[in-house]
Amino acid sequence: MGLTAGTKLGPFEILAPLGAGGMGEVYRARDTRLGRDVAIKALPEAFARDPERLGRFEREAKLLASLSHTNIAGIHGLEVVAGQRYLILEFVDGPTLGERLKRGALPVDEALDVCRQIAAGVEAAHESGVIHRDLKPGNVKLAPGGQVKVLDFGLAKAASAGVETSALDLNASPTLTSPATGVGLILGTAAYMSPEQARGKPVDRRTDIWSFGCVLYECLSGRQLYAGETVSDVIAKILEREPDWSALPADTPPRVGQLLRRCLRKDARERLRDIGDARLELVEALAGDSGLGVSATGAASTAGAAAGIAASSTGSRWGAPRRPWNSGALRVAVVGALALLTLSTWLLLRPAPRQAALTRLSIVPETDRFFAGDPGNFALSPDGRALVFTFPDSTGVTRLSLRWLAELASHPLDGTDGASFPFWSPDSRQVGFFADGKLRRVPAAGGAIQTLCLASAGRGGAWSPGGVIVFAPEPHAALLQVSASGGVPTAATALDSARNEISHRFPSFLPDGDHFLYGTMPSASGELYNTCVAALSDPRGRPLLQAFSTATFAPPDYVVFSRDRALMAQRLKLRGVKLLGEPVLLADRPMVAGSITLSPVTSSGQSGVMAYAETDRRPTELVWLTREGRRLQVAASYPGVLIGPAIAPAGDRCAASEVAPQYRTLVFDLTAGTHTALGSQNQSIAVPAWAPDARGVACLVQADGVNRISLLDTSGNAERLLLLARREYVEPMSISPDQRTLVFTQMIPGHQRDIMFKAMGDTGSTRTYVGTPASEDLAVLSNDGRWLAYTSDGSGRNELFIDTFPQPTSPHRVSSAGVAALGGSVAWRKDDREIYFLGSGGVSLFVCDVRTQPSLTTGPPRLLQTLPSGLRGIVAAPEGDRFLALLPAGQRPTGFVIVLNWTRGLGEDK
């Protein structure tokens, strides 16, 4: 049945039709529970009565659910309403590639980038055993920001080893009907069918490679590879005619022309075998490596093209493409003999090897957005040849980037949006990481993302030679273990109540592949933490040493850790896992304090290679910016690194926390440019929130093994206890206008952060405002005290919500594309008519209009400004007319240091 605007399907409200195809009608709808738009595919009633079609529809749901990749439109669920089945799909805004191509060909670079992303999505499907079978411009969406999404796996099949399917099943024929398409006209998909599909022969993933070639050809030339008035005309051309290569633009890179010829071989046996190779060719073409190959214009003959292709092979991440020699096998044999003779002579005459010297190299920033990230958010490959790290793109979205040390540039790993805490497989070919509440893996050379299991907020992982991954699933938990191929996790360690342990984090395996090190976090934070050792064969952990960071194994037989802001190394007896001798101080000074407790500060590989993030020693400037982002003046400066700004109600002072092994909070006079420290020197004081009367600042105070929230007097060291947490980690968020209520967050096992509140004068009972398995944070009361703005990642992405306070009624979502979890970044205007927040990448500052009468409504988010690079925090002035940004002084961002032969700096003879 057709659905009309306003129709309700459970929590989904139909907004408008999007189109119809052979496998169902598609509508745009609103998910009223989560405040997001979705696409709903409804199976036509006639098909619902057909068991075969019904089975195929449900198969599509299972196929889509098995795929997780940034270039594939995902599935949210399968709903049954009144006996009718509906797929709830990711809604992708923007035109289809087919709609864009009606305006003509894409510029070459744009065409290559679009098709690179298409190839990445199809590659992910192929590696999950799924063949699309209906790849065409109409099934590709061009989302805002340049992202490409492959849609409609309604005709896809799950590929089983040795099992193929006939392509010309009329019930599954590739068709698309729309108001502009009728009987007797070309249906829009036949033009992308492979020859074997057109003949009704069995198909495999090579049919998608043919269709991909058709799409790439059309993007470059602006016209379909094969067109005709009827399906029969089109199929006849597919089977009989060669492509018109002269239609390609003259500036098509030669290697792209060669790639097209390999994709469009009529004999599937001669066609490109793996679409991942096509993706790599496009990546290298975009990078400017033209390669050697056949001209993409009509100047090269078909015979010449065939000869060139037959003589070459596709390049890979580990080696350059082999180039054909015109002289054939004879020249190859001569060169081989000469190379063997040269090698033999060198081996005989070479001088005695000298001991390798200690060497330090810096990986300098490639763009002004470069950042090394926190300790723990980078990892050196076991073979010492590559470094993977988190990196924000131009929009601020953080993903994994990989730097091969033999190369001069880094390469982003597609599909790793939101990644954190990467770690390597023992063979240096796969990278594990955490994203979207899951533990995942990705090939180091790029490719399909595989989800292994749930991990709501991972805190590090390690991969054993036996194919077992030990990982920390969330901040308050013991370690789990899971097969590297995925499955149901089981316990790897157990929290020791006798040592008041509340968290195990950042494991690293020892060479035997059984024992592993990990950090333990007690109920009350201190300056030093235990690193323990356990084994897959014996999960009972025992303490090994105490350090500020988790100690990690460094080949051949060391552990490396930080104490007193310095890097230490100590020998380790592998049999029995015992420390030998005394710790040795290294000259290296890495970044030792990150936002995540116990983050390891170094990563080591074989052959004496070590990596660490440079310490950011740049001073902090407190800079006033206009709403449009124009720099007004420097209000104050500080020689250390500051984060988490909180502005006083009058806008004349700012509290911020200094980053160090022991945090402290400072209050800056924004008129005089002076500052004072709160509390005493033996306390760790952070996360400030101003009292409305501006006489005090609520802070997290950690001292004597106890966590507490206290109100610190800004005119002296007087302290008023607000909350005694002891075992729990808490952070103050906001104080009500009447100064009677404290809003704070608390780490809850299994829930991450929940939002709580309590009476200011009562140090006992607390009440939960919102507590879910998701993480809620950045809770800020409106200036009239009636509304609470907060962030939650319950939808899989951190978003901003507003609800009534103190009793929540119905959360109203404000943001639409994610919010950065950066302290101080959510703020109300003094009159509560606007609310400000940072976009998910921490690069863009947004504003929303707010109306609370007669009911709460908000306008769409509007971009105010793109923020300067290196931002450490930002907060709005009370009137919303300007913003105070914490920015590093100086131009050079921090990067990574690679240390070669690092053990030579120990003063020991190995």
Side-chain angles (χ1 to χ4, degrees), residues 176-190:
L176 175 68
T177 39
S178 67
T181 305
V183 176
L185 301 178
I186 182 170
L187 301 180
T189 303

Side-chain angles (χ1 to χ4, degrees), residues 416-428:
T416 60
D417 292 11
S420 64
F421 304 120
F423 57 95
W424 288 85
S425 62
D427 63 3
S428 300

Side-chain angles (χ1 to χ4, degrees), residues 503 505-506 519-522 529-531 547-551 596-601:
S503 176
R505 303 178 173 200
F506 300 107
T520 70
M521 186 174 172
Y529 304 88
N530 279 329
T531 291
F548 179 71
S549 66
T550 299
I596 302 299
T597 305
L598 281 168
S599 301
V601 300

